[in-house]
Structure formats: C-alpha cells, structure tokens
C-alpha cells in the first residue's frame, strides 16, 4: 500500500488542480484524468472476439484502427454491463495504444487538488483495489480514481 | 530525409557492403571479370573514405588493408586463389562487423580483427604499405574522389553573360505582373542592360489596347547560375515568351555533364588504365572543358572501352545503379494505410449504392468499378514500394554460413537462388532471425563433417541452397542442405525423453521431422556456440506463423533436408470469402479454401459420439463447426448448412461449417497485435464495407481447436499412443 500511495503522490502532485472526467460504472462514480482521455463515443455494437474473457467486449473500428473495448464494470469485478445506446465508450491511450472503456454514462469534469486525493482504504475486494489509484470526495460522493495502467496492462497476462 | 550525414554514410555503407559481398560471391563463383574486382575495390575504398571523414579509425585501418590487397589483385600482381578468396570473404564479414560496431557502438572482436589484419598483411608487398589516402567528404560521390577527379568545385563562380529575350503575352498583364519588377530583380543580381524592342508595335489606329506588343532584350552579367536567373521568371512562366542564352551556359552544362560523367563512367577508367598500363590509380583527369555535346567529352573509360555502347551495357550487366529514392518507411506506411482506407471506403460506397432505392444504378456502378480499379492500381503501386528483393538478406545469410562453418570446422557453401524475388520489407526484416537459425542448424546438424561426407561418397564441401520464388500469390523460401537428413531415431528418442510424445508413439516420418518444431526441442548434445541456446526451431516456426506463413520440413536420410517457408506476398491485403458465423461476419482466406458447397442432410454422416463427416462425391471429410470451435454461442438453433472445404498443411481436408457465404472480396488486413493477445482460430481482423470489424479466420487453428475435427487428426496418434 505504501508503494502505491507514493506512486499516487508523484503522479498527481506536479500538476496542481488537475481536471478529471467523472463517469459512472455499475452505479459507482469513477474518474480519469482528462489528459488520459482521447475521446468519448456513444456505444455501438462491437465485433466479438472469440475466446475473450468476460470483460473484453470485442473490438471496434476507430477511424480505421482496430481497438479493443473493455467492460469496466466486469473488469472491476462488478456485474457485466448490458451495453446499450445510452452507454458510452471512453477512448483512452494506454502505452501509446488506443483502448475503449465501456462506462454507463459520463457525469462531469471536476477539478481536483492533488492534496485532496486520499489513499484507497483497504477493503476486501482485491480485484477492485488493484485498479483504484485513490479516492476523492466530490459533492459528497466518493469518486474513485482509476489506475489506467493497472486496468489495461493486466488483461494481456490474463489472456492466453 | 532524416538523420545526420553520418546516418547517410552508414546507409551508404550498407549498399557498399552489399556490393562487396555480391562481388566476392561472384568471384568465388568463378567470375573473372576485372570489373568485378574494381567494383569491390571502389566499394571498400568508399567505405574507407567515409570512415576517415568520421574518424572511425578501426574501420579505416581495416578497410585500408583490405583495399590494398584488392589493389594488388586488380593491378594483376596477385592471383585470386581459393585461399585468398576465403580470406577476402571473411574480411568482408569483418568489415560489416566493423561498420555495425561503428554505427551501433558495439564491441568488435579484437583478436579476430588482428588475425585477419595479419592475414591480409601477408598479401601486401612492403612498398605498397605507405599508400596514402585522404579522407573525403561525403558530398562528393565517393568513386569520383577515388580518382582524384573532384568535379571542379564551384569555388569562385565565374561571371557569366546571359542574353534574355522577354516578350510578355497579354495574359501576363492580365494577371497583374509587371515587367519592371522582373527587371529590378535581375538588376539585383548583377550588371543589367535592358533594351526595349517595340518593332511589333502597330500604328496607333490598329492598336488593340489589351494586346501586348512590347518585348525586351536583356543582357545580364552575373555570377549567379542559370537556374537562379530562370527563377526570376518563375511566376510569369507560360505568360510570356522567354529565351535565356548564356555565354556561360555551354560551360556550365559541360561542367555538369563532366561531373555526371565522372560519377558514372570515370570509375570504369582505372580498370582499363590499370590492366593495360599497370599503373597506380592516379589517372589524370583533364579538367572539364566546354563541350557542346555530352558524347564528345567523356572520360577515358569511353575511349578505352572498345564497345561503342559500353557504358550503358556495362551498367545493365552489373544491374547498374538505378536511380532510387530513400523514403522514411513511415511515410510509405501512412500511404498504405490511406489506400487501405480508400478500399474500405469503396466497399462502403458500393454497399450504400446497393441499398439505394434507385431503379437504375448502372452508370454509378460503372464509375464505381473504375474507382475500384484505380484504388487497386494505387494499392499495388504502394505495395510495390514496400517490396524489396531478398538479395541483401540472402547475402547476409552467406556470412552466417561462413561463420557457422568456421565455428564447426565444416566446409559449406551457400548457393543463393532467386535473389531478385521481391518480398514485403517487413517480411524481409522478420525473416532474418528464422533464416539465421535454420542455416546455423543446417551447418551444425545437417551437413556432416568433411571426413564423414567423403565416406558417404559426397563432395567434402557441403552445399546449402537458399532459394526464393513466387508461387501463386505467396512467396516460397526454401533452405535445402545436402547433409545427412534428420536423424529420425534420435529425434524421436529426444522427444520421448523430453516428454513431448508418449514412449510407444507410432509416428510417420513426416511427423517425426515436424517434431523439430515442437517447443522445447533441441537436439544439440552439448550446448554449442551455434545452436542449442535454449531456443529451438519452435521459435522459427512462431516467427514464420507470426508473418502469416507456414514452415515445413522434408528430409531424406543421407540426402539432406529441406525447409520450406511459405509466406503471404503482402502483409496488408488478401482475398477473402466473407461468411457469417453465429451472427458474426467473418472472413476466410481464399487461399485455404478448396471448394464451397451447400450441404444437405443426407451428406452428413455421424461417426462415433459426436463426430460428423461430410460426404463429398464419395469421400468423407470431418466437419468442423466454426462457431463451436470459436466458442461462439449461436442464438438460432439453425444448423449451419454451408461448408467450406479447406486443406491443411498436412494435406488433411476438413469441411468448415458456416452459416452463410456472402461475398468474395479483397480485404485489408488489420493486425490484432497489441489489441489483444493471440486468439485461437483468428489470424487478424479487417474492416468491412459497413465499417464493422470482421475477424479473419485461420482455418488451420480452427480445425485444431475444433473438438471433432482435431480429434480426427490426432486420433490416430492418440490411439496408437495409448
């Protein structure tokens, strides 16, 4: 935990008041740094990848590029999302590659002071813990900051 | 162009080293053309020159020794015997190593370097030792400097007189151009005299106010070149009648021509001069003299060469330096991507038009067909840019074989065939490692020791044949050695020891041979320097399949083994059959489909608990349900009724059951690398006309993953084993 907290500090401290985009996944509030997000698109049916794990929805055509779409909810160990037109795909860039993340809906852009970020208190849900970098309180709700590297680098190991 | 001058030097080195290798290989093969020796000498000399300019001392020292020996040969003072050729070949390898070390900052094997230097020294007569050379800049073409013919550097530009006749058309005034400004620009360049020629001016009555009648005769004395003078009139090009004659023109042209001549023909000079007169390469080169006709001028080469068209002839013979353009690969790839999009765009358009509620779309369709053809032309053109002959790769392989032979104490020669076969650049790059591995193996395990070869009644020198050819839309690369062939009992024993196969497995010869590709298989009894570094042929196989190709081995005991690598011609497009499987649209490569058919119930025969066979004209082939194999859930319970008959590598046939066939079209291959891990049954993806992504299937692995069909293949093995 110590190491993780340190990591968080370094990541966020150099930029005072970073902008984050908050969105909901399975009814919970999450957020990503705005600079990590390339675009937000409405959900449209994807092409299924055979033998893919439950949290990989498939691939999508993003202006000629084939990008994988992950179901964040399933990834966090929550229930699988029944994707519909109302849902959004957040396109992020991880390790220089575009990746789509399915979220329920996008809420707003919030400005966060790095000092306000709290460490994730240990809870008995390892799956989620790995993916959360820290939490903040915004408008009396808890918003979880996603550790994108953990979310995206992990699947490669899981998949055969 | 990116990169510094030094990068350019190293790029040139690549070409020069290639030329050296090529020449040496030719000489080894019995080529006695003095021009070949000269070509090598020039190449080595150019490397030395460039290396000198960059202070690469090791490289200079080595190249110098190497070159000196060649100088002896070329002067006819030394005979090229087999021993010397071997030394030269190894020196050429060392030269490459030195260049690489200089470029990448790596270490060189000092001891090896010194041995070679000493060996080279033996061939160098004492008095020749002090041959000096001067480092040269890269700007001048290397061979030119070689002869001391530095093309007259425009040190102090000469004053030249240009006579310009300038007659504007009325359109020039129409575009708002003003002669005065042009004159002013000329005046800035030097001494200007402008004379108005109003001879064409008609009488006042006949004058058309919008017409242009005036002309000027201009005399300009300037130090600037003709092109700069011409540039002044750039904006009125086509809007005036213009002629520029310069006194200096003839001279300038002659200069340029002389320089060109020097570049192309002069290097041919010393051979002639040397062989006939036995002189050092100092061929006096008369400074370029004004010559109106290029043919009149040329360098000594032309005179010495008896054949009238020697120049062009020679160049063609040598495969002459065709004009080339170095372009960043990324730019080409961007273009390829764009063309890919264009093709996708075309199919989208076609689909849209088909969906239109218009009765007559013939005209549009005709145009669309034209669009399609153009797009294909562009695509082929762009793909051709990426295609490169396998020659450099093959030449590098010769080096691998030499090194491997030296390390194992065997003598092997590599015979290359089909060097000019063109293959996609990526394929060439990624083939290097697998080929290296196969060739090392061929030397290490394939070819026998010289004494064993003799006992077997073979020539002491092992022969490894490396050939490339195009074979119906794919590239075939073959590595054939004349060694002992696969030691099947030994291979089998090792496979059993390593637990790859059950102890009592009955395998066919082909199956045993293919065990070489099994992961974790390595036959080297002791870990040698060459092979057996923990990586085996399975790595080779992975590399080849990674390129969308496949590899096969066939072997005859006592006669040798052949590795055959079949690769797709391009990595970007392929012809595919669009099918639907479990409500998903997918593409099956046409190349693997033998036949398609719609099946009826009476064609399906059950075998065992859940095996099904399709009867085709009396033959039974196992059915492989694609959806099942891909683990896809079919919503409707509809039985797949369409079959694609495919043939696997091993010649086994299998009927792939799909829901429907839609179309046959060219698809752009989008790699799934980095998008997700390897998916069994899927080779890549493509984007269809509707913008949707479709998986490109890999029939081979679908069959392997299918419970029934795979069982059919492995059944024998398993039943034999248990």
């Amino acid at each position: 935990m110590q190491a993780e907290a340190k990591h968080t500090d370094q990541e966020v401290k150099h930029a005072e008041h970073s902008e984050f985009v908050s969105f909901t996944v399975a009814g919970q509030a999450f957020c990503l740094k705005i600079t990590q997000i390339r675009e937000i698109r409405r959900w449209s049916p994807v092409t299924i990848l055979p033998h893919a794990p439950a949290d990989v929805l498939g691939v999508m055509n993003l202006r000629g590029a084939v990008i994988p779409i992950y179901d964040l909810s399933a990834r966090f160990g929550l229930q699988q999302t029944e994707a519909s037109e109302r849902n959004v795909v957040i396109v992020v860039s991880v390790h220089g590659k575009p990746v789509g993340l399915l979220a329920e809906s996008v809420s707003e852009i919030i400005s966060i002071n790095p000092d306000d970020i709290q460490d994730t208190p240990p809870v008995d849900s390892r799956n989620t813990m790995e993916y959360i970098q820290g939490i903040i309180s915004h408008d009396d709700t808890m918003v979880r900051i996603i550790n994108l590297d953990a979310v995206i680098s992990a699947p490669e190991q899981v998949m055969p | 162009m990116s990169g510094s001058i030094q990068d350019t030097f190293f790029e040139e080195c690549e070409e020069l080293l290639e030329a050296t290798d090529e020449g040496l290989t030719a000489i080894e093969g019995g080529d006695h053309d003095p021009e070949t020796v000269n070509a090598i000498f020039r190449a080595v000399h150019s490397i030395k020159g460039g290396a000198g300019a960059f202070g690469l001392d090791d490289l200079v020292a080595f190249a110098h020794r190497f070159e000196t020996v060649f100088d002896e040969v070329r002067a006819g003072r030394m005979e090229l015997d087999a021993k010397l050729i071997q030394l030269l070949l190894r020196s050429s390898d060392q030269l490459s190593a030195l260049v690489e070390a200089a470029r990448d900052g790596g270490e060189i094997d000092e001891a090896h370097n010194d041995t070679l230097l000493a060996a080279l020294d033996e061939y160098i007569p004492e008095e020749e030792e002090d041959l000096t050379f001067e480092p040269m800049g890269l700007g001048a073409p290397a061979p030119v400097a070689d002869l001391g013919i530095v093309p007259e550097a425009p040190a102090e530009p000469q004053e030249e007189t240009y006579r310009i006749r300038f007659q504007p058309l009325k359109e020039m005034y129409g575009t708002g151009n003003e002669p005065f400004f042009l004159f002013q620009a000329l005046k800035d360049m030097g001494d200007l005299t402008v004379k108005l020629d109003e001879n064409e001016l008609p009488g006042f009555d006949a004058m058309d106010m919008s017409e242009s009648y005036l002309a000027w005769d201009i005399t300009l004395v300037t130090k600037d070149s003709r092109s700069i003078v011409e540039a002044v009139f750039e904006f009125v090009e086509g809007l005036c009648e213009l002629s520029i004659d310069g006194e200096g023109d003839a001279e300038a042209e002659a200069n340029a021509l002389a320089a060109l001549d020097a570049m192309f023909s002069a290097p041919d000079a010393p051979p002639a001069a040397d062989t006939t007169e036995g002189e050092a390469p100092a061929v006096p080169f008369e400074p370029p003299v004004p010559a109106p006709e290029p043919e009149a001028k040329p360098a000594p080469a032309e005179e010495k060469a008896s054949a009238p068209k020697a120049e062009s002839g020679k160049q063609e013979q040598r495969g002459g330096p065709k004009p080339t353009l170095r372009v960043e690969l990324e730019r080409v790839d961007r273009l390829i991507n764009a063309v890919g999009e264009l093709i996708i765009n075309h199919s989208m358009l076609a689909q849209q038009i088909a969906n239109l509620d218009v009765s007559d779309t013939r005209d549009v369709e005709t145009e669309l067909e034209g669009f399609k053809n153009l797009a294909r032309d562009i695509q082929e053109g762009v793909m051709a840019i990426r295609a490169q002959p396998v020659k450099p790769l093959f030449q590098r392989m010769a080096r691998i074989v030499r090194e491997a032979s030296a390390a194992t104490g065997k003598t092997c020669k590599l015979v290359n065939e089909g060097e000019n076969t063109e293959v996609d650049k990526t394929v060439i790059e990624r083939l290097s490692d697998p080929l290296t591995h196969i060739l090392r193996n061929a030397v290490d395990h394939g070819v026998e020791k010289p004494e064993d070869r003799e006992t077997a009644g073979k020539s002491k020198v092992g022969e490894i044949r490396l050939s490339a050819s195009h074979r119906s839309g794919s590239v075939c690369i073959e590595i054939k050695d004349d060694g002992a062939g696969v030691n099947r009992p030994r291979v089998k024993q090792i496979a059993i020891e390593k637990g790859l196969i059950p102890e009592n497995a009955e395998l066919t010869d082909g199956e045993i041979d293919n065990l070489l590709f099994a992961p974790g298989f390595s036959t080297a009894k002791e870990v040698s320097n060459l092979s057996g570094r923990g990586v085996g042929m399975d790595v080779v196989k992975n590399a080849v399949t990674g390129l969308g190709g496949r590899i096969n081995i066939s072997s005859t005991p006592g006669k040798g083994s052949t590795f055959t690598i079949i690769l797709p011609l391009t990595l970007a497009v392929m012809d595919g059959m669009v099918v639907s499987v479990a409500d998903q649209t997918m593409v099956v490569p046409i190349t693997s489909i033998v036949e398609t058919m719609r099946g009826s119930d009476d064609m399906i025969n059950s075998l065992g608990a859940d095996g099904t066979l399709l009867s085709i004209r009396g033959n039974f082939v196992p059915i492989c349900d694609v959806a099942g194999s891909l683990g896809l859930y079919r919503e409707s319970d509809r039985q797949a009724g369409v079959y694609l008959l495919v043939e696997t590598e091993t010649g086994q046939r299998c009927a792939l059951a799909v829901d429907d066939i839609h179309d046959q079209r060219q698809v752009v291959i989008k790699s799934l690398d980095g998008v997700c891990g390897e998916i069994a049954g899927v080779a890549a993806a493509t984007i269809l006309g509707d913008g949707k992504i479709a998986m490109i299937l890999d029939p081979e692995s679908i069959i392997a993953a299918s419970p029934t069909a795979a069982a059919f293949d492995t059944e024998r093995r398993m039943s034999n084993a248990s």
Side-chain angles (χ1 to χ4, degrees):
Chain A
M1 204 64 260
Q2 199 59 42
E4 180 126 12
K6 233 183 187 169
H7 183 63
T8 312
D9 283 349
Q10 281 174 358
E11 266 262 303
V12 197
K13 208 150 226 168
H14 55 80
E16 280 184 31
H17 276 281
S18 306
E19 304 237 280
F20 283 74
V21 175
S22 72
F23 46 89
T24 50
V25 174
Q28 302 186 2
F30 290 88
C31 69
L32 274 171
K33 212 174 192 176
I34 202 162
T35 49
Q36 291 174 310
I37 296 177
R38 286 172 57 162
E39 63 182 284
I40 295 171
R41 300 169 66 90
R42 191 163 295 284
W43 161 266
S44 63
V46 295
T47 302
I48 298 168
L49 280 177
H51 305 301
D55 53 6
V56 177
L57 288 164
V59 285
M60 180 181 93
N61 171 16
L62 182 74
R63 289 182 295 276
V66 180
I67 69 164
I69 310 295
Y70 294 95
D71 180 358
L72 274 183
S73 174
R75 195 127 193 98
F76 294 149
L78 310 168
Q79 79 274 16
Q80 253 177 280
T81 312
E82 282 286 332
S84 76
E85 281 270 310
R86 286 193 305 277
N87 299 135
V88 291
V89 172
I90 301 170
V91 181
V92 294
S93 181
V94 191
H95 310 300
K97 292 222 158 81
V99 167
L101 305 172
L102 176 73
E104 221 160 78
S105 61
V106 173
S107 317
E108 57 182 323
I109 295 173
I110 50 179
S111 182
I112 297 175
N113 183 342
D115 296 337
D116 294 343
I117 298 175
Q118 306 164 26
D119 292 346
T120 327
V123 287
D124 193 25
S125 168
R126 268 190 48 238
N127 211 356
T128 315
M129 291 290 293
E130 272 177 42
Y131 301 142
I132 304 303
Q133 208 171 59
I135 51 173
I136 49 157
S137 170
H138 177 75
D139 290 347
D140 293 334
T141 53
M142 183 180 83
V143 183
R144 302 142 188 88
I145 301 173
I146 295 174
N147 178 2
L148 209 49
D149 285 344
V151 174
I152 302 308
S153 67
E156 309 268 331
Q157 295 152 15
V158 176
M159 284 180 60
Chain B
M1 275 314 297
S2 70
S4 63
I5 308 171
Q6 196 156 349
D7 291 339
T8 318
F9 163 65
F10 285 124
E11 271 171 35
E12 277 173 8
C13 272
E14 292 269 307
E15 283 169 18
L16 294 166
L17 286 168
E18 227 170 77
T20 311
D21 265 357
E22 195 181 323
L24 283 169
T25 316
I27 289 174
E28 195 187 17
D31 180 346
H32 297 298
D33 187 354
E35 180 47 36
T36 313
V37 177
N38 282 306
I40 302 172
F41 177 82
R42 283 198 301 273
V44 176
H45 187 92
S46 300
I47 293 174
K48 185 179 84 170
F54 290 110
L56 305 169
D57 295 338
D58 285 349
L59 188 53
V60 171
F62 194 89
H64 176 62
R65 239 48 92 85
F66 194 17
E67 172 199 56
T68 312
V69 173
F70 256 100
D71 198 34
E72 288 297 299
V73 174
R74 132 188 138 120
R77 284 193 290 269
M78 198 184 293
E79 197 62 31
L80 267 171
D81 56 11
K83 193 168 151 246
L84 178 58
I85 291 173
Q86 284 312 311
L87 174 64
L88 292 174
L89 279 166
R90 292 180 59 199
S91 304
S92 151
D93 293 347
Q94 181 64 13
L95 199 62
S96 310
L98 284 163
V99 169
E100 268 166 40
R103 181 185 56 206
D104 308 329
E107 290 287 312
I108 54 151
D109 185 349
E110 294 280 351
H112 183 58
N113 199 41
D114 291 344
T115 322
L116 281 174
L117 280 177
L120 285 172
D121 275 346
E122 282 178 27
Y123 285 92
I124 302 173
E126 290 301 316
E127 70 272 25
E128 290 287 333
E129 275 286 13
D130 58 348
L131 257 186
T132 53
F133 82 96
E134 279 141 36
M136 60 194 183
L138 278 168
V144 178
D146 170 17
L147 298 166
I149 324 165
V150 182
E152 287 296 276
E156 191 46 46
Q158 299 287 314
E159 291 242 320
E160 275 155 25
T161 309
Y162 294 96
R163 271 181 246 296
I164 305 165
R165 167 86 180 172
F166 174 59
Q167 182 170 19
L169 302 175
K170 66 176 175 183
E171 286 83 5
M172 196 194 100
Y173 298 107
T175 55
N177 278 297
E178 168 63 56
F180 176 71
F181 293 125
L182 297 172
F183 301 151
Q184 211 162 36
L186 288 174
K187 194 170 187 308
D188 291 342
M189 295 163 62
D191 207 1
L192 185 75
T193 323
V194 182
K195 192 166 166 284
L196 178 68
D197 174 4
E198 77 292 85
N199 289 342
E200 283 186 33
L201 207 59
F204 195 75
D205 300 337
M207 195 152 82
D208 175 357
M209 293 307 284
S210 64
E211 196 44 79
S212 163
Y213 299 104
L214 298 179
W216 286 271
D217 287 309
I218 305 160
T219 313
L220 174 68
V221 181
T222 175
K223 283 180 184 170
D224 286 324
S225 74
R226 186 192 174 96
S227 57
I228 296 174
V229 178
E230 277 171 354
V232 172
F233 295 96
E234 204 176 348
F235 289 109
V236 293
E237 209 184 322
L239 301 174
C240 63
E241 279 175 24
L242 180 72
S243 70
I244 302 176
D245 298 315
E247 270 170 12
D249 270 11
E251 200 173 322
E253 237 161 66
N255 265 330
L257 280 169
L260 273 175
D261 274 338
M263 276 167 83
F264 290 107
S265 66
D268 293 348
D274 274 333
T275 40
T276 50
E277 295 152 33
E279 269 180 14
V283 175
F285 187 85
E286 58 257 58
V289 281
E293 278 172 286
E295 286 82 9
K297 158 92 250 338
E302 195 83 320
E303 293 154 35
K304 298 276 180 191
S306 46
K309 280 179 185 167
E311 194 113 342
S312 56
K314 247 185 212 166
Q315 288 199 358
E316 269 159 36
Q317 254 176 33
R318 276 183 280 132
K322 283 186 214 144
T324 54
L325 179 65
R326 281 209 186 93
V327 183
E328 268 172 68
L329 197 56
E330 204 200 312
R331 290 195 195 183
V332 178
D333 285 348
R334 269 210 303 267
L335 199 54
I336 287 177
N337 280 338
V339 177
E341 295 301 307
L342 188 68
I343 286 172
I344 291 168
N345 197 252
H346 164 265
S347 42
M348 284 185 176
L349 254 174
Q351 203 151 326
Q352 297 285 339
I353 289 169
N355 293 343
L356 277 183
D357 194 18
V358 181
S359 54
D360 187 15
T361 54
R362 265 176 305 174
D363 286 352
V364 186
E365 273 164 15
T366 316
E367 294 302 319
L368 205 60
E369 196 60 29
F371 173 27
K372 183 177 167 185
N373 290 338
L374 280 174
R376 284 217 184 189
D377 279 356
I378 298 175
Q379 189 180 38
E380 271 167 30
V382 177
M383 296 312 295
I385 297 178
R386 274 193 68 108
Q388 292 194 328
V390 291
K391 197 173 188 174
L393 175 70
F394 277 20
Q395 279 175 351
R396 244 180 300 151
M397 291 306 129
R399 184 174 159 193
I400 301 291
V401 169
R402 279 197 294 277
E403 278 171 4
S405 308
T408 51
K410 295 174 183 173
T411 34
C412 300
K413 71 169 184 221
L414 184 75
V415 181
N416 290 342
E417 277 170 12
E419 289 180 321
N420 292 323
T421 309
E422 293 198 331
V423 184
D424 188 275
K425 188 175 164 62
T426 314
V427 176
I428 292 183
E429 277 165 6
R430 285 164 59 181
L431 258 186
S432 175
D433 285 348
L435 276 189
T436 305
H437 206 85
I438 294 175
L439 285 171
R440 279 190 178 145
N441 262 315
V443 175
D444 204 12
H445 306 306
V447 175
E448 315 92 322
K449 296 211 165 66
E451 53 272 23
D452 294 345
R453 290 184 64 88
E454 237 171 5
T455 336
K458 297 185 196 174
S459 140
K460 263 191 187 175
V461 181
E463 187 183 274
I464 300 172
R465 216 164 254 280
L466 178 59
S467 67
S469 57
H470 282 300
R471 205 181 274 180
S472 64
S474 40
V475 180
C476 172
I477 291 176
E478 226 173 54
I479 304 100
K480 186 175 186 174
D481 67 60
D482 66 346
V486 175
N487 184 347
R488 293 195 180 116
R490 169 110 189 101
V491 167
K492 196 174 163 191
Q493 193 198 333
I494 289 176
I496 293 170
E497 276 167 22
K498 305 221 166 182
L500 297 171
I501 51 167
E503 213 163 304
N504 51 357
E506 292 276 335
L507 302 180
T508 62
D509 290 350
E511 281 170 330
I512 297 179
D513 290 349
N514 277 295
L515 279 175
L516 291 178
F517 297 118
F521 185 93
S522 181
T523 52
K525 283 179 201 143
E526 65 261 25
V527 174
S528 73
N529 232 344
L530 286 173
S531 38
R533 296 180 207 197
V535 287
M537 294 298 282
D538 59 319
V539 178
V540 171
K541 183 169 186 167
N542 286 344
V544 173
T545 39
L547 285 168
R550 51 198 157 109
I551 181 164
N552 252 320
I553 175 172
S554 68
S555 170
T556 318
K559 292 262 165 66
S561 345
T562 307
F563 287 90
T564 313
I565 301 174
I566 309 278
L567 293 165
L569 202 52
T570 74
L571 295 177
V573 259
M574 61 159 215
D575 283 304
M577 191 165 280
V578 183
V579 298
S580 63
V581 174
D583 306 316
Q584 295 273 319
T585 308
M586 299 190 177
V587 177
V588 182
I590 289 280
T591 47
S592 57
I593 300 176
V594 181
E595 188 180 343
T596 63
M597 73 207 69
R598 198 164 284 278
S600 55
D601 284 351
D602 55 326
M603 288 168 76
I604 298 162
N605 305 275
S606 298
L607 182 75
D610 43 18
T612 43
L613 298 183
L614 187 71
S615 116
I616 305 166
R617 296 180 292 271
N619 288 320
F620 294 97
V621 293
I623 295 174
C624 164
D625 183 53
V626 176
S629 176
L630 290 175
L632 294 177
Y633 170 70
R634 188 182 271 122
E635 281 191 18
S636 55
D637 199 28
R638 190 166 75 93
Q639 181 63 47
V642 180
Y643 300 96
L644 310 175
L645 188 66
V646 296
E647 196 171 81
T648 64
E649 266 173 54
T650 48
Q652 190 217 338
R653 289 190 169 202
C654 184
L656 296 183
V658 297
D659 294 348
D660 215 347
I661 296 176
H662 299 292
D663 194 5
Q664 186 179 321
R665 69 166 71 142
Q666 201 174 39
V667 296
V668 179
I669 301 172
K670 299 272 177 182
S671 168
L672 285 172
D673 278 358
V675 173
C676 56
E678 206 172 292
I679 306 169
V682 175
T686 188
I687 298 173
L688 294 177
D690 56 3
K692 281 263 180 60
I693 292 172
M695 296 293 140
I696 298 175
L697 301 179
D698 173 13
E700 200 90 16
S701 73
I702 285 188
I703 293 168
S706 152
T708 48
F712 196 74
D713 189 35
T714 46
E715 215 163 63
R716 272 174 312 143
R717 205 176 295 176
M718 287 303 135
S719 63
N720 286 330
S722 56

